C-alpha cells in the first residue's frame, strides 16, 4: 500500500487478468467509521454494511461500476484503489527499448494543477504536456485528439441512425453515448437489452490506443511492438476499460497501462519536477492537436454539445456560427433539450449525470416512452472533472460533515460503557 | 444485542438510532454532497472558459489533423467516419454482464437496481 495524493493504492499492475474479478476500489475495514456515506452515493448498492458494526465493503466486483464516487466522498479516507500501474510506468520510462506514449484525457488538465496548489479547476494543459516530456514520455499524444475522432465517428453514427430511422437493419433510436466506462459496465450489467441503443464507438481512449499502434506507429516509423501506451484519466473505471479483453484491435494490447490524475501528480513529484515553474508546451503532432469540442468532453453535456456542433452542420448543410449550445450543459440530474436544425427539424436530446439518473432514462427507453434521439450519460455527477481519479475536494477531506460526525462520535465515546 | 457486548462502532450505531444520529448523518451527507457539487461547478466553469477562450478551433471537424486522418485521397481513414477501417479499429461490441448480479440477487444480496 502506498499513499498517493491522500488516497491509498495497492501496487498492482495486473496483466492478462479478467477485470471483472478485480476490486478496483475496496474499503479498508480498519479505517471505516461506519458513517454510510459511500452507501448513500453509490447508485448500484455495491458497497454496503457487512456486519453489525456497520463496517462497509464492496460486496462483489460484478455490482461495482468502478466509478469511485464512494472513494472521493468517504470522509475518513477509508477506501483504497486496488490497481496501480505507477511502478510499471516508471520502469518503462527508464527502458531505452520501449517507446512510451502518453494519452491524457481532457479532464486531467482541469484537476492536476490542484495537486500543486493551484485554485480549483485551473487549466494546466500546456504545463501537463511539458511535465510528461520531462518524465520521459517519447510521444506526447493526447486523448483530446481522439475525442475529436469520436465526434466524427459517433456523430456520423447518430446521423445515420436518424436519417435511416425505421428502415430495416438500422440500429434503433435513441442512441446512447459510449464514452464513460462506468456507464458502459452499468448498461452491460443492469440493462443488457439496451445494448443495441448504445453507440458502437469505442471511447476516445479506446480509439487512441488502437490508433497509436497503427496510424501513429506508421506516421512516426515506430514498431508497434515497442510501443507502451499510457492512458492518463480522471477516472478509476478507465482501468477496467483498459483491461477489457477486446481492446486489442491494433494487433497488440491497445492500452498497456492506465493511471489517474492523482497518480500522475505523484509521478511528477516523485521525479522531482517543479511543476509550477514549467513553461507550457504543445503536444506532439498527428495525434496531439485538439479543439474546444474535445476539451468539453470533460464535463457533463460536453460530448452532446460537441456532437451537436458536427450534427448541426452535416444535417443542415449550414455553418454553425456560434458553437455554444448552452442548453445541454449539465451540472446535476437530467437535462433535456430540443435543438432546432434548419432544413432538418428538431433533434431531441437528454443528458444524465450520475448513474441513478441514467437508470431513469434507461427505464424510460425500455418502456418505449423515450422521446429522444440522443442521450449522453456520465457516471460521475458533473462528468469527468468530478471523476473518481481526480484530486480530492479539500472540503471532503476536512468537511463539516466529518468534523460533525467526529464530534458526535467523541460524545458517544465519552459515554461509552467500559468493556 | 446487549450493549455490554458490542464494540465501539456497533455502540455508535446503536446510540445513533436512539439519538437521531442516523437522521443527522443523512442530512449531513446531503450537505456534504451539495458542497462537493459546488467544487465540481468550479471545474466545469474552467472547462467552458478554456473552450471559449483558449482553444483556437472549436469544432472537431475543423481540426486539421482530423482532416488529414479522413482525407479522401491519402487519409488513414479515407473511407470516412464509420467506414471499414473505422469499424475495425474504432468500433466495438458489448457483452451482456447481467448473469453475475442476477446470481447475487438470488443469493439474497439487496442491490439498489
Ligand atoms: S464512507 Fe468511508 S467511513 Fe463511511 S461507511 Fe463508507 S467506507 Fe466507511
Ligand atoms: S465505485 Fe461506484 S459503483 Fe463501485 S461501490 Fe463505489 S460508488 Fe458504488
Amino acid at each position: 500500500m502506498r499513499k498517493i495524493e491522500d488516497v491509498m493504492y495497492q501496487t498492482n499492475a495486473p496483466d492478462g487478468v479478467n477485470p471483472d474479478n478485480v476490486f478496483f476500489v475496496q474499503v479498508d475495514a480498519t479505517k471505516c467509521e461506519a458513517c454510510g456515506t459511500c452507501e448513500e452515493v453509490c447508485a448500484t448498492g455495491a458497497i454496503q454494511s457487512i456486519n453489525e458494526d456497520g463496517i462497509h465493503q464492496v460486496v462483489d466486483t460484478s455490482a461495482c461500476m468502478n466509478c469511485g464516487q464512494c472513494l472521493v466522498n468517504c470522509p475518513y479516507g477509508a477506501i483504497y484503489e486496488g490497481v496501480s500501474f505507477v511502478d510499471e510506468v516508471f520502469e518503462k520510462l527508464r527502458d531505452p527499448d520501449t517507446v512510451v506514449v502518453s494519452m491524457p484525457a481532457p479532464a486531467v488538465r482541469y484537476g492536476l494543477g490542484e495537486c500543486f496548489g493551484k485554485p480549483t479547476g485551473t487549466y494546466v494543459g500546456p504545463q501537463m504536456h511539458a511535465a510528461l516530456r520531462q518524465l520521459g514520455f517519447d510521444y506526447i499524444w493526447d486523448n483530446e485528439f481522439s475525442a475529436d475522432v469520436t465526434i466524427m465517428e459517433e456523430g456520423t453514427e447518430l446521423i445515420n441512425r436518424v436519417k435511416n430511422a425505421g428502415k430495416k437493419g438500422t440500429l434503433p433510436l435513441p442512441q446512447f453515448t459510449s464514452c464513460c466506462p462506468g456507464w458502459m459496465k452499468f448498461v452491460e450489467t443492469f440493462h443488457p437489452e439496451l445494448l443495441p441503443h448504445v453507440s458502437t464507438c469505442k471511447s476516445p481512449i479506446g480509439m487512441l490506443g488502437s490508433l497509436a499502434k497503427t496510424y501513429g506507429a506508421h506516421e512516426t516509423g515506430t514498431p508497434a511492438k515497442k510501443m507502451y501506451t499510457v492512458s492518463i484519466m480522471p477516472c478509476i473505471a478507465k482501468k477496467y476499460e483498459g483491461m477489457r479483453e477486446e481492446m486489442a484491435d491494433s494487433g497488440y494490447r491497445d492500452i498497456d497501462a492506465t493511471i489517474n490524475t492523482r497518480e500522475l501528480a505523484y509521478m511528477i513529484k516523485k521525479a522531482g519536477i517543479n511543476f509550477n515553474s514549467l513553461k507550457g508546451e504543445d503536444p506532439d503532432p498527428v495525434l496531439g492537436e485538439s479543439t474546444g469540442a474535445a476539451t468539453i468532453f470533460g464535463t457533463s453535456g460536453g460530448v452532446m454539445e460537441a456532437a451537436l456542433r458536427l450534427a448541426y452542420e452535416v444535417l443542415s448543410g449550414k455553418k454553425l456560427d456560434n458553437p455554444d449550445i448552452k442548453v445541454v450543459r449539465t451540472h446535476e440530474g437530467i437535462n433535456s433539450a430540443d435543438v432546432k436544425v434548419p432544413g432538418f427539424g428538431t433533434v431531441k436530446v437528454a443528458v444524465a449525470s450520475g448513474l441513478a439518473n441514467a437508470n431513469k432514462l434507461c427505464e424510460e427507453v425500455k418502456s418505449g416512452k423515450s422521446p429522444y434521439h440522443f442521450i449522453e450519460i456520465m457516471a460521475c455527477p458533473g462528468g469527468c472533472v468530478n471523476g473518481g481519479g481526480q484530486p480530492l475536494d479539500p472540503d471532503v477531506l476536512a468537511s463539516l460533515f466529518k468534523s460533525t460526525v467526529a464530534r458526535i462520535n467523541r460524545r458517544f465515546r465519552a459515554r461509552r460503557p467500559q468493556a | 444485542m446487549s450493549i455490554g457486548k458490542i464494540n465501539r462502532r456497533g455502540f455508535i450505531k446503536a446510540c445513533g438510532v436512539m439519538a437521531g444520529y442516523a437522521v443527522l448523518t443523512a442530512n449531513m451527507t446531503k450537505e456534504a454532497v451539495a458542497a462537493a457539487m459546488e467544487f465540481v461547478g468550479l471545474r466545469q466553469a474552467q472547462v467552458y472558459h478554456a473552450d471559449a477562450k483558449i482553444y483556437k478551433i472549436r469544432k472537431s471537424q475543423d481540426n486539421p489533423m482530423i482532416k488529414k486522418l479522413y482525407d479522401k485521397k491519402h487519409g488513414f481513414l479515407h473511407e470516412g467516419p464509420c467506414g471499414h477501417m473505422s469499424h475495425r479499429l474504432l468500433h466495438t461490441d458489448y457483452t451482456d454482464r447481467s448473469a453475475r448480479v442476477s446470481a447475487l440477487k438470488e443469493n439474497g444480496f439487496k442491490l439498489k437496481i
Side-chain angles (χ1 to χ4, degrees), chain A residues 39 42 114 199 324 331, chain B residues 43-44 58 91 94 112:
Chain A
E39 193 172 335
C42 177
E114 291 164 21
S199 165
D324 290 333
H331 182 55
Chain B
R43 285 186 184 153
Q44 287 186 296
R58 296 189 60 197
H91 293 249
Y94 309 115
K112 288 186 187 170

Side-chain angles (χ1 to χ4, degrees), chain B residues 51-89:
Chain B
D51 167 38
K53 301 281 186 255
I54 296 174
Y55 286 74
K56 288 187 196 79
I57 302 169
R58 296 189 60 197
K59 298 171 195 159
S60 301
Q61 62 271 32
D62 295 344
N63 180 340
M65 288 299 136
I66 291 294
K67 291 183 177 166
K68 178 177 154 84
L69 181 70
Y70 288 106
D71 185 86
K72 288 204 171 66
K73 261 203 188 129
H74 306 291
F76 183 71
L77 301 176
H78 55 85
E79 300 154 309
C82 299
H84 281 290
M85 190 64 133
S86 291
H87 273 288
R88 222 186 84 203
L89 292 178

